[in-house]
Amino acid sequence: HKNIEITINAHGELFYNDIPLSSTQLHDKLTLLTPQDTLVIRSDKKANMQSFVTVMDTAKELGLSKIALETLK
């Protein structure tokens, strides 16, 4: 099992290992996960909800259900 960590900054921008991601790139990264793997979403408390929903919708579309959430202050 592995983890992929996606970070959402205060501006709602998505990152993987400090590398900015578009929605398409997010989808590509999440396709590397299997249903047994964990998606970790680290979101700034000031981030807009839409970015979070985008990540969650993409994960759901790919059948991922192991999702951990962290809020960054």
Side-chain angles (χ1 to χ4, degrees), residues 38-60:
T38 302
L39 169 62
V40 179
I41 303 171
R42 302 180 76 224
S43 182
D44 188 286
K45 68 178 182 177
K46 296 177 184 170
N48 65 46
M49 200 63 182
Q50 185 55 52
S51 297
F52 176 76
V53 170
T54 297
V55 176
M56 292 297 290
D57 284 350
T58 303
K60 184 178 178 184

Side-chain angles (χ1 to χ4, degrees), residues 19-66:
I19 300 167
L21 291 179
S22 68
S23 294
T24 302
Q25 291 167 320
L26 170 69
H27 186 277
D28 292 347
K29 284 291 176 205
L30 296 187
T31 58
L32 300 174
L33 291 173
T34 69
Q36 293 77 35
D37 296 329
T38 302
L39 169 62
V40 179
I41 303 171
R42 302 180 76 224
S43 182
D44 188 286
K45 68 178 182 177
K46 296 177 184 170
N48 65 46
M49 200 63 182
Q50 185 55 52
S51 297
F52 176 76
V53 170
T54 297
V55 176
M56 292 297 290
D57 284 350
T58 303
K60 184 178 178 184
E61 173 189 324
L62 294 171
L64 303 176
S65 60
K66 292 186 177 183

Side-chain angles (χ1 to χ4, degrees), residues 2 4 7-8 10 13 15-16 18 21 24 46 50 53-54 56 70 72:
K2 63 184 171 197
I4 284 187
T7 303
I8 305 170
E13 298 164 322
F15 295 87
Y16 170 72
D18 297 322
L21 291 179
T24 302
K46 296 177 184 170
Q50 185 55 52
V53 170
T54 297
M56 292 297 290
E70 278 183 39
L72 305 175

